[in-house]
């Protein structure tokens, strides 16, 4: 059975693509984005297969 590791990442609205691209280059897949604690922030949930 596939095992996963997960990460929770704060996203700044003005740099969302850059942040997600950096994580994606390291093998992370975006699972969900939810509102953060303030209007200028989002929270991304990512996963990747465990080695």
């Amino acid at each position: 059975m596939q095992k996963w590791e997960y990460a929770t990442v704060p996203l700044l609205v003005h740099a969302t693509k850059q942040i997600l691209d950096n994580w994606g280059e390291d093998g992370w897949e975006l699972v969900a984005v939810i509102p953060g604690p303030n209007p200028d922030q989002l929270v991304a949930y990512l996963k990747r297969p465990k080695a």
Side-chain angles (χ1 to χ4, degrees):
M1 175 180 5
Q2 177 67 58
K3 294 190 179 198
W4 301 93
E5 62 180 323
Y6 298 92
T8 305
V9 181
L11 298 175
L12 301 174
V13 174
H14 66 275
T16 302
K17 182 182 181 325
Q18 181 182 359
I19 294 167
L20 292 174
D21 284 348
N22 287 339
W23 283 83
E25 287 179 14
D26 289 336
W28 292 93
E29 178 181 345
L30 181 64
V31 176
V33 176
I34 63 167
N38 64 55
D40 293 332
Q41 193 172 24
L42 300 168
V43 178
Y45 289 86
L46 304 123
K47 72 174 184 178
R48 72 177 173 187
K50 231 177 183 181

